Amino acid sequence: MPPELIAVLIAVSDDRPMVLTLEGGRLLPSGPLEAGHRSLQTGLRLWVEHQTGHALGHVEQLYTFADAPVDGGPDERRVMISYLALTRTRRGERGWRGWYDYFPWEDQTAPEGRALVQRIVRLLEDWAGRAPSAAGQEARRQRVALTFGLDGLGWDDELVLQRYELLWEAALVPESAPPGAAVLPGLSMARDERRVLATAMARLRAKIRYRPVIYELMPDSFTLLHLQRTVEAVAGQPMHKQNFRRLVAQQDLIEETGEVAPDTRGRPARLFRFRREVMGARRIAGSKLPLARPV
């Protein structure tokens, strides 16, 4: 069986991180590597453009998944080579879905997301208590604490995949729950697509800390508030306004365009753009995000 090439196309629209999907949001663009493809990336680009009409720019390999079906043998192992691409939505394109539609607990900027985490923790504590041994119960509780930031550990926004896999193991998501069982809110996906999406979310959240990749998700000019909201949307956490602006200034990432936003009320908001050096994707020094405490 040839490997399958699968693409996670991420954009931000109206301060919402979006992912390009197929089949009503159930699938990600994908297709098998064929003999006529000169390379993995060539095959990926051809499949994505054929299925979505969206031409890819820069892509990076994300992860290779090689899981055998529960009832299958080694010859039936499904190998998926996943790629991450940052892009922008285009007028009239269909298939874009908010990534928090799939992982609502990952949005810690919203009261609903924080309340959902509290509910999840209660369900997982009950699941942990059902382990057959005391040692097993303690191991489960430690995993819950680590992945959901309990016992003073703090929320780690990069643990998207670990949280999803823990919920999968606890049968709290549709992909693993028995028929008719109660599951958490969040759109399900076919096959392992939601697992692939979780991996892409974690990768992007990590990258914005050490590479100025956020510029690939921004328009050519923007306000500082728009930039902050985009970073908050991707990280899923609120930022300290003044500390965020101080960090941006210290990094020398942006420059003024000399223009102001036409649609702001009150004092006109200055427009900025990323400096040309940033477009070369240089590393960011001292890039700890200025996270705010949830309110």
Side-chain angles (χ1 to χ4, degrees):
M1 179 183 297
E4 184 169 356
L5 311 173
I6 185 166
V8 186
L9 278 69
I10 300 296
V12 174
S13 178
D14 297 327
D15 301 329
R16 294 181 65 212
M18 312 290 286
V19 57
L20 189 56
T21 65
L22 305 171
E23 301 294 332
R26 294 273 294 165
L27 295 173
L28 298 169
S30 65
L33 178 65
E34 297 180 345
H37 296 156
R38 297 194 311 271
S39 66
L40 295 173
Q41 283 200 20
T42 297
L44 180 79
R45 293 174 188 279
L46 290 172
W47 279 118
V48 170
E49 189 162 1
H50 171 71
Q51 294 173 348
T52 69
H54 196 108
L56 291 180
H58 173 74
V59 299
E60 66 172 82
Q61 188 167 333
L62 187 61
Y63 194 76
T64 298
F65 298 87
D67 294 336
V70 175
D71 57 351
D75 294 338
E76 298 180 24
R77 183 180 299 271
R78 181 171 180 248
V79 176
M80 293 189 300
I81 304 174
S82 59
Y83 288 83
L84 172 65
L86 305 184
T87 186
R88 297 170 187 173
T89 59
R90 299 171 183 175
R91 187 181 300 274
E93 276 188 327
R94 298 181 179 181
W96 288 103
R97 295 291 185 106
W99 74 17
Y100 294 126
D101 293 345
Y102 298 95
F103 301 95
W105 53 86
E106 291 295 333
D107 186 6
Q108 292 298 290
T109 67
E112 298 83 0
R114 297 193 292 271
L116 181 55
V117 165
Q118 294 177 359
R119 175 187 167 196
I120 288 172
V121 167
R122 291 193 294 269
L123 292 171
L124 288 175
E125 287 175 342
D126 179 68
W127 167 77
R130 296 197 303 269
S133 68
Q137 292 173 12
E138 180 60 24
R140 286 184 177 185
R141 291 191 182 100
Q142 289 181 2
R143 289 177 62 198
V144 174
L146 176 64
T147 53
F148 284 90
L150 308 181
D151 302 334
L153 294 174
W155 179 269
D156 187 338
D157 61 306
E158 296 179 32
L159 299 181
V160 187
L161 179 61
Q162 290 88 336
R163 281 187 283 271
Y164 171 70
E165 290 186 331
L166 186 59
L167 296 175
W168 192 98
E169 185 177 340
L172 293 175
V173 292
E175 291 89 338
S176 63
V183 295
L184 294 170
L187 297 178
S188 63
M189 302 185 83
R191 308 179 300 188
D192 282 335
E193 314 290 272
R194 195 147 61 141
R195 187 178 172 205
V196 175
L197 176 56
T199 304
M201 291 171 62
R203 173 71 64 86
L204 182 54
R205 285 178 167 184
K207 282 178 71 69
I208 63 175
R209 284 172 162 79
Y210 63 89
R211 293 279 186 185
V213 296
I214 202 72
Y215 84 84
E216 298 183 49
L217 300 170
M218 300 294 297
D220 294 333
S221 60
F222 48 85
T223 65
L224 288 176
L225 180 59
H226 185 187
L227 177 61
Q228 179 178 338
R229 286 179 173 172
T230 300
V231 175
E232 289 176 330
V234 172
Q237 298 190 81
M239 308 284 165
H240 288 286
K241 179 179 178 180
Q242 296 305 321
N243 289 349
F244 177 83
R245 296 190 175 194
R246 188 178 300 113
L247 173 66
V248 171
Q250 290 172 348
Q251 297 293 341
D252 202 22
L253 299 175
I254 61 177
E255 60 188 8
E256 291 191 42
T257 66
E259 300 177 342
V260 296
D263 56 349
T264 55
R265 298 179 180 178
R267 183 179 178 182
R270 292 175 293 173
L271 288 174
F272 293 80
R273 62 187 170 219
F274 283 95
R275 295 170 59 87
R276 291 187 180 276
E277 297 90 326
V278 173
M279 308 303 244
R282 63 176 175 82
R283 295 186 69 85
I284 299 177
S287 56
K288 182 178 180 181
L289 295 178
L291 301 178
R293 292 183 179 274
V295 294

